[in-house]
Amino acid sequence: MQLYDMPDARGHFGQFGGIFVAETLVEALEELRVMYEKYRHDPEFLAEFAYDLKHFVGRPSPVYFAERWTKRVGGAQIYLKREDLNHTGAHKVNNTIGQALLAKRMGKPRVIAETGAGQHGVATATIAARLGLECVVYMGAEDVKRQAPNVFRMKLLGATVIPVESGSKTLKDALNEAMRDWVTNISNTFYIIGTVAGPHPYPMMVRDFQSVIGIEAKQQMLEMVGRQPDAVVACVGGGSNAMGIFYPYIDVPNVRLIGVEAAGHGLETGMHAAPLTANSPVGVLHGNRTYLMQDSDGNIIETHSISAGLDYPGVGPEHAWLKDIKRAEYVAITDDEAMAAFHNLCRTEGIIPALESSHALAHAEKMARTMRKDEIILVNLSGRGDKDINTVAKLSNITL
Amino acid sequence: MSRIQTVFSALKANNKKALIPYITAGDPHPKHTVNLMHTLASSGADMIELGIPFSDPMADGPVIQRASERALVHKVGLRKVLDMVQEFRQKDTKTPIILMGYANPIEAMGMEKFTQAAKAAGVDGVLTVDYPPEECKDFIAALQVSGMDSIFLLSPTSDAARVDLIVNQASGFLYYVSLKGVTGAANLDIEEVKARVAAIRTKTDLPIGVGFGVKDAATARKVAAIADAVVVGSRVVVAIEQSSEDNLLSNISQLMAELRTAIDA
């Protein structure tokens, strides 16, 4: 029986979440809420979603025992949920397929998305191509420069990429701009948000589409080791891969849920992207109430992380809630620690992880050392690191 | 009677419509804001909408976004905005001031602290763009206790039930957003606005202002014919953006005079 029953009808997770948008967006969100309610348990919709996850994405993604890495770390056994093996290379596609199928049912011929590193943009462009939808992706002008290969991928897939020049020219500004597009083109446009943030029903809907990760993992762990792990570890920017693997475990007793934020240069430097770990104040941004990195005037401050996918000043409202009710724990890993884990996994397991996922790996290493050898950690390896090789090369002073 | 009500009553008695210009506090530089407010009031504005700069103005088009960015360069936060209102009030005790902004700066200050400070500074109404009535019941109550009005947006997509909900929470006046989009977007469809305003009137006695697409004097005139107030934002901010320090006040005064003439015609 599912005991945990969140959010409420207006998307509140306790004091977090909700619908904080201008009046011009209220009806569009209501339309989306009604349609999602209609389809979320509809057998035909779910069958189509499952079909695409299997045949287009390649699910189920395997759970893999990282044996050499476990030995090298010397402690608890570390298992990896291999979301990096999905089509497009990350967990993002699970959600874009769900939302694009909904867009199709709602008769919206045009989809828009925001993207930071470009993974969500690529995943949206991918499903838009497959379904024959027009696709426009908003990306901060700074990110367009830093992530040229993903910009080109989106264009190859037929999407229009619009660089956003306002504000800090990064992910949060891309999200603002996508909202502005949506409010202007409400009648023909579906906004595919890439993480468990935004106004209701997005945090719930994205969680639901991503929960396939945890549902599979629960079954796979039983098959592989006959029990559930002692801890599940996932990185948290907005928090969609973490919610995806956490959600089916919320009601399972004795499974610790640990979200890993980006500590950047270190929490003490202020140059990080870890609102939960750094105890940032509660605020309102992008349609929901959550913990937010902000100055004393309530303006959002710039974040820092080596990984563009974690470089976000807020966090999904359900993570804020899980922190407050102490069902999940949140920690932060620095750029340097993530890089070390990145190299360790490459060399001991033959897997190049995404820099985002490397934060979760780094924390798993730390934890494993303090645990017994019969204990088990499951890490959500949310994406592969091919997209990051330029960043890593640059750090090593290598020009590709 | 609140300042906002007083102004609307007086205008109604003279068969005139309200002109409500918008500026962002601190744009183009904090030292100009109070002078700009006095210039607006002396050159035709009946009330002033004063924007609170915010780092992420999601409902605003590029013009007002840039205004926020210019103000934030000088770290104009909510406390400074309230100081500006207080300074303005030393010489002008009649022109209503409506603060327009986003929820986060208000929450960062704290709701109670904000309502007390805003009232003390001489603010008359508050429009919080990303506070739909369902999410801000405490805030509406706090404003009411302090004697300030809660201004709400109504949009072309608001259905009848929503209009009912909003008119019951609002005070001062209602702000009808004349188009689907952000501030300063494409041209508004005057016939559609007319029909919507008429529909809203069947549900409330509150005055109705129209804004978001009033780009020039001709549009202002058409809007004045069907609404109780004309809100002009991006057009004013563009004029600020295109002015130098020397001609800033004269340009704004000239624009206000044009709009005033059009509305009164």
Side-chain angles (χ1 to χ4, degrees):
Chain A
M1 193 181 88
Q2 184 86 1
L3 303 168
Y4 177 87
D5 183 23
M6 285 294 202
D8 72 10
R10 284 188 54 83
H12 296 107
F13 303 87
Q15 67 162 320
F16 305 107
I19 304 173
F20 292 89
V21 295
E23 190 56 32
T24 37
L25 274 177
V26 167
E27 286 302 310
L29 287 165
E30 179 61 13
E31 181 193 11
L32 177 61
R33 189 189 66 76
V34 168
M35 293 304 270
Y36 182 58
E37 279 305 319
K38 180 177 168 188
Y39 286 113
R40 64 188 294 208
H41 302 299
D42 177 66
E44 216 173 287
F45 178 79
L46 293 175
E48 193 178 348
F49 183 45
Y51 182 93
D52 269 7
L53 290 181
K54 182 176 177 186
H55 297 279
F56 189 60
V57 178
R59 303 202 70 92
S61 67
V63 165
Y64 167 77
F65 176 39
E67 196 174 354
R68 287 194 70 222
W69 190 42
T70 294
K71 272 190 190 143
R72 182 178 158 148
V73 172
Q77 299 162 41
I78 307 173
Y79 286 73
L80 306 176
K81 176 64 173 162
R82 299 289 309 274
E83 290 299 299
D84 61 315
L85 293 177
N86 292 340
H87 179 42
T88 71
H91 71 290
K92 291 287 185 192
V93 72
N94 302 327
N95 167 53
T96 61
I97 289 178
Q99 290 196 48
L101 291 177
L102 199 55
K104 207 175 80 175
R105 275 176 172 65
M106 289 170 72
K108 310 273 185 184
R110 179 174 181 267
V111 295
I112 58 172
E114 84 294 340
T115 198
Q119 292 306 100
H120 173 60
V122 168
T124 304
T126 298
I127 189 63
R130 160 144 160 63
L131 296 178
L133 303 168
E134 183 192 345
C135 179
V136 174
V137 179
Y138 289 92
M139 189 168 185
E142 281 301 316
D143 291 332
V144 168
K145 274 189 245 162
R146 291 190 292 201
Q147 310 287 340
N150 269 345
V151 174
F152 189 59
R153 269 184 202 109
M154 288 184 262
K155 289 181 179 169
L156 287 175
L157 292 160
T160 305
V161 179
I162 301 183
V164 177
E165 301 282 354
S166 57
S168 58
K169 304 179 189 185
T170 58
L171 175 59
K172 76 173 179 69
D173 308 287
L175 212 151
N176 292 334
E177 206 56 33
M179 285 279 185
R180 293 179 186 122
D181 177 314
W182 196 32
V183 75
T184 310
N185 302 294
I186 274 174
S187 52
N188 73 341
T189 298
F190 189 107
Y191 179 15
I192 299 185
I193 292 186
T195 191
V196 286
H200 181 65
Y202 283 102
M204 173 180 84
M205 180 170 70
V206 176
R207 171 199 75 191
D208 292 351
F209 289 140
Q210 290 293 2
S211 66
V212 64
I213 304 171
I215 292 168
E216 286 175 5
K218 271 168 91 174
Q219 194 188 338
Q220 289 164 321
M221 290 308 293
L222 271 184
E223 286 165 10
M224 285 182 84
V225 298
R227 68 176 183 95
Q228 297 304 335
D230 299 286
V232 175
V233 180
C235 63
V236 176
S240 70
N241 90 81
M243 263 336 295
I245 198 163
F246 287 178
Y247 184 55
Y249 277 107
I250 289 176
D251 280 339
V252 182
N254 305 321
V255 177
R256 288 173 67 192
L257 304 176
I258 299 158
V260 185
E261 296 187 300
H265 292 328
L267 293 183
E268 69 288 351
T269 65
M271 294 185 70
H272 59 82
L276 292 174
T277 317
N279 293 314
S280 297
V282 173
V284 172
L285 181 71
H286 293 153
N288 68 91
R289 179 175 279 130
T290 188
Y291 290 107
L292 272 184
M293 292 177 58
Q294 53 183 304
D295 64 19
S296 59
D297 284 326
N299 286 304
I300 307 309
I301 54 180
E302 279 188 41
T303 52
H304 173 84
S305 170
I306 193 173
S307 109
L310 301 184
D311 218 346
Y312 182 68
V315 63
E318 195 162 11
H319 285 295
W321 170 246
L322 291 176
K323 181 193 174 190
D324 274 21
I325 63 166
K326 298 188 163 53
R327 177 59 189 96
E329 307 153 51
Y330 294 87
V331 296
I333 283 290
T334 64
D335 289 351
D336 290 346
E337 291 170 321
M339 281 310 307
F342 171 91
H343 288 298
N344 288 344
L345 199 76
C346 287
R347 295 191 175 206
T348 57
E349 295 291 349
I351 296 170
I352 302 178
L355 289 179
E356 289 78 9
S357 322
S358 298
H359 287 70
L361 296 168
H363 187 69
E365 279 187 355
K366 275 192 193 175
M367 278 181 75
R369 287 191 196 106
T370 68
M371 292 166 71
R372 294 193 316 266
K373 288 190 173 169
D374 62 341
E375 290 184 298
I376 294 172
I377 300 173
L378 174 65
V379 181
N380 196 13
L381 183 54
S382 55
R384 69 176 185 225
D386 307 49
K387 69 180 176 61
D388 296 314
I389 55 171
N390 284 312
T391 307
V392 176
K394 210 171 159 187
L395 282 172
S396 321
N397 291 315
I398 296 167
T399 312
L400 295 182
Chain B
M1 203 187 285
S2 77
R3 278 195 202 100
I4 293 175
Q5 284 173 312
T6 307
V7 166
F8 273 115
S9 305
L11 287 167
K12 199 172 182 184
N14 292 314
N15 206 17
K16 285 174 80 172
K17 302 300 174 69
L19 172 58
I20 311 179
Y22 166 96
I23 59 170
T24 300
D27 172 41
H29 187 285
K31 69 183 176 191
H32 295 304
T33 302
V34 173
N35 287 338
L36 267 171
M37 291 166 74
H38 286 305
T39 302
L40 291 170
S42 63
S43 57
D46 297 296
M47 308 180 198
I48 295 169
E49 218 183 299
L50 188 63
I52 305 162
F54 183 47
S55 53
D56 294 78
M58 236 168 60
D60 286 298
V63 170
I64 293 179
Q65 287 173 48
R66 288 198 297 270
S68 249
E69 285 173 14
R70 285 191 293 267
L72 289 175
V73 167
H74 302 288
K75 306 216 177 302
V76 178
L78 184 47
R79 285 170 188 82
K80 284 193 187 166
V81 177
L82 294 178
D83 289 345
M84 290 168 179
V85 175
Q86 193 155 27
E87 195 187 332
F88 174 79
R89 278 277 170 258
Q90 288 168 6
K91 288 185 192 161
D92 185 328
T93 55
K94 287 193 175 142
T95 309
I97 302 293
I98 298 136
L99 290 186
M100 180 167 183
Y102 293 80
N104 203 53
I106 292 172
E107 295 204 351
M109 181 179 274
M111 212 165 274
E112 233 172 85
K113 201 172 158 195
F114 166 75
T115 43
Q116 285 167 8
K119 182 65 188 175
V123 170
D124 301 287
V126 183
L127 195 176
T128 314
V129 179
D130 51 353
Y131 257 168
E134 297 95 331
E135 298 284 5
C136 67
K137 293 198 177 77
D138 295 349
F139 187 56
I140 297 170
L143 287 174
Q144 200 171 15
V145 167
S146 311
M148 288 182 285
D149 286 315
S150 302
I151 318 293
F152 283 99
L153 299 175
L154 280 167
S155 92
T157 55
S158 308
D159 65 14
R162 207 129 179 104
V163 173
D164 282 336
L165 174 81
I166 291 170
V167 300
N168 287 325
Q169 304 289 333
S171 58
F173 68 96
L174 289 159
Y175 186 142
Y176 178 70
V177 174
S178 59
L179 43 81
K180 292 176 189 167
V182 292
T183 52
N187 296 319
L188 56 85
D189 176 346
I190 198 74
E191 285 308 313
E192 195 196 330
V193 174
K194 189 177 177 180
R196 297 286 308 191
V197 169
I200 296 165
R201 276 202 205 284
T202 64
K203 295 173 181 290
T204 181
D205 293 329
L206 284 174
I208 301 171
V210 171
F212 266 49
V214 184
K215 294 199 134 169
D216 49 31
T219 317
R221 182 177 187 165
K222 286 182 203 158
V223 169
I226 54 178
D228 304 301
V230 184
V231 187
V232 188
S234 296
R235 180 66 192 87
V236 177
V237 174
V238 164
I240 291 173
E241 195 167 47
Q242 291 173 349
S243 296
S244 65
E245 283 216 349
D246 297 337
N247 62 19
L248 176 66
L249 298 181
S250 59
N251 284 355
I252 293 305
S253 151
Q254 194 187 333
L255 172 65
M256 292 308 293
E258 277 168 31
L259 292 167
R260 184 79 252 172
T261 309
I263 287 172
D264 289 344

